[in-house]
Amino acid sequence: GCGVDSDGFGLSECKPMNTLARIGRRGAALLLAWGGIAGLRAAEPSSPPASAEAPWPEIRKKTFAEVWQTVNDAYFDPTFGGVDWAAVRETYRPRLEQAADNPALRALLQAMLGELHRTHFAILPRETAVFTPEERQRIGTIGADFVTVENQVVVARVRPDSAAATAGLAPGDAVRAVNGRPLAEVDAWLETSGMSAARRAFYLAGYVSSWAQAAVGTRVTLRVESGENPPRDVELMCAAHDGAWSEPIGNYPAQPLELDATRSADGIVTLRFNVFAPPLMKGLKARLRALRPGDGLVLDLRSNPGGISVMAPGLSGWLVARELSLGSMTLRQGYMSFAVYPQSGAFAGPVAILIDHGSASTSEILAAGLQEAGRARVFGETSAGAALPSSFRVLPTGDLFQYAVGDMKTPGGKLLEGHGVEPDEVVHNTRADLAAGRDRVQDAARAWIRRERESAGPDGSASPGPADL
């Protein structure tokens, strides 16, 4: 997640929340967890020259100083986790002269930020961000989603009539290289930083996704394996994303939106959405209010990287019958509790939450909070462990700087960063499952819901106990 920038929407300007764009003085709106994806690609894409209003040496000097000072002032831990942040500046500042252009500067800054060994520190190239309706035609997609399965980045979904579908990509296909760069090489580089396997899986899938969601007209070559067949190269071109978009919030860019809702014949409703963004709240609320006594609910948060944090307690209010907390956030200034207030007519039936290595940030806050409260049972794989509240600001180069401003703990005091959410039931899909259209995680959740309903009261709600909130 990330917090809204300080230029009009940040911690310094405290007003009651207005359409989720502002929050109180002690809080921060948590947005998308972009950290590792931007960092991995920082030195690769070409970019336009920096503003001609000042010479490049001056721009890069100001940018370096602003990044270092922002972290120094805003980082939630004044000890920087034992890192000598002043010494880090002295180590990297002499290397500035070697940064001849913006991509090289991004790589230098990302390396400096990497000394903190935390997520939610990234330099996002301005040309990859969308702030105006016109720019939405600039960022495209090949029409495929990727997950990590069996320690491999695998195609999870292919949209009909997309470039991926036309090229013959299918669920279960394993990606071996992107534009000639083997994923094994990227993974080895990540491992040198001491990342856990789960964190590397999160970043690897994000790395592939970042190339699959690039500028319209971008040509991407994926080397893939289908089943036992030998690897083949698939050439694709990113087409425009014609669906709905969120609006920018401060310096946080617009995001493409997806919301899928299905009801099975036995009354189990599955909700899947791709990001916690305000425009989705209306649809999510409507679907939660439409749940009937005797129904079951599956919240599919797999590959959901997070979003506006206040949506987590907001959604939870439609699932509980008493006040509770989803956890607390530590800021440099103090603490903030993620309080949940029950809404009239809240759903009382069984709730299952699905997570995987790509579930991050606000997804982790929601899953961990409802899990520890006993209100939901969690299925799948340990989540990304990338749950630092953060903020965005514009750098002198025009790029966006994402930086962490807080840390998250569950109601029981467990840190989410670096640990993630552990499922109540660990369930893995395989490549063969995806290729065959099977979803073992979904099946396990539905089986549990059916068992819960068999022991439910006559109104279809759960039997009294920890889950009866």
Side-chain angles (χ1 to χ4, degrees), residues 17 69 123 199 229 289-290 351 389 422 444:
M17 184 174 66
Q69 193 65 50
I123 309 298
R199 181 71 61 79
N229 298 319
R289 293 193 65 180
V351 177
E422 297 180 5

Side-chain angles (χ1 to χ4, degrees), residues 73 77 117 136 163 202 213 240 262 266 368 441 454:
D73 295 341
D77 178 6
H117 300 288
R136 295 174 189 176
F202 170 58
Q213 299 170 4
T262 60
D266 60 354
V441 184
E454 289 175 0

Side-chain angles (χ1 to χ4, degrees), residues 334-426:
Y335 302 90
M336 172 184 173
S337 175
F338 280 66
V340 177
Y341 300 99
Q343 302 298 307
S344 176
F347 177 63
V351 177
I353 296 178
L354 313 185
I355 60 173
D356 64 5
H357 299 318
S359 305
S361 202
T362 308
S363 291
E364 297 181 280
I365 295 171
L366 177 62
L370 292 182
Q371 179 190 50
E372 287 196 2
R375 181 61 188 99
R377 189 165 181 82
V378 178
F379 297 79
E381 302 168 324
T382 301
S383 63
L388 297 181
S390 60
S391 182
F392 277 86
R393 71 184 306 159
V394 178
L395 296 173
T397 57
D399 287 342
L400 303 178
F401 174 34
Q402 182 188 11
Y403 56 97
V405 297
D407 205 357
M408 278 299 307
K409 288 184 179 180
T410 69
K414 178 183 175 182
L415 285 172
L416 289 174
E417 177 72 10
H419 298 89
V421 182
E422 297 180 5
D424 297 298
E425 293 190 28
V426 177

Side-chain angles (χ1 to χ4, degrees), residues 211-343:
W211 283 109
Q213 299 170 4
V216 171
T218 298
R219 294 186 179 275
V220 182
T221 300
L222 301 180
R223 172 154 288 196
V224 301
E225 287 183 8
S226 300
E228 300 301 323
N229 298 319
R232 72 185 193 280
D233 286 338
V234 179
E235 295 186 1
L236 309 108
M237 181 183 291
C238 289
H241 184 284
D242 296 325
W245 287 74
S246 67
E247 294 300 322
I249 302 176
N251 284 332
Y252 177 69
Q255 297 294 318
L257 302 175
E258 297 178 10
L259 171 58
D260 299 321
T262 60
R263 171 185 287 275
S264 64
D266 60 354
I268 297 178
V269 175
T270 299
L271 291 181
R272 188 191 73 83
F273 53 103
N274 67 322
V275 63
F276 285 78
L280 293 180
M281 193 65 171
K282 182 177 180 180
L284 288 168
K285 175 182 174 182
R287 285 158 177 80
L288 291 176
R289 293 193 65 180
L291 291 170
R292 310 161 188 164
D295 283 348
L297 174 64
V298 176
L299 279 178
D300 191 346
L301 300 181
R302 290 175 293 182
S303 298
N304 186 319
I308 301 291
S309 69
V310 290
M311 287 182 64
L315 289 175
S316 299
W318 294 99
L319 302 173
V320 302
R322 66 169 176 84
E323 293 184 17
L324 57 88
S325 173
L326 296 181
S328 61
M329 179 170 61
T330 302
L331 301 165
R332 181 73 75 93
Q333 307 98 314
Y335 302 90
M336 172 184 173
S337 175
F338 280 66
V340 177
Y341 300 99
Q343 302 298 307

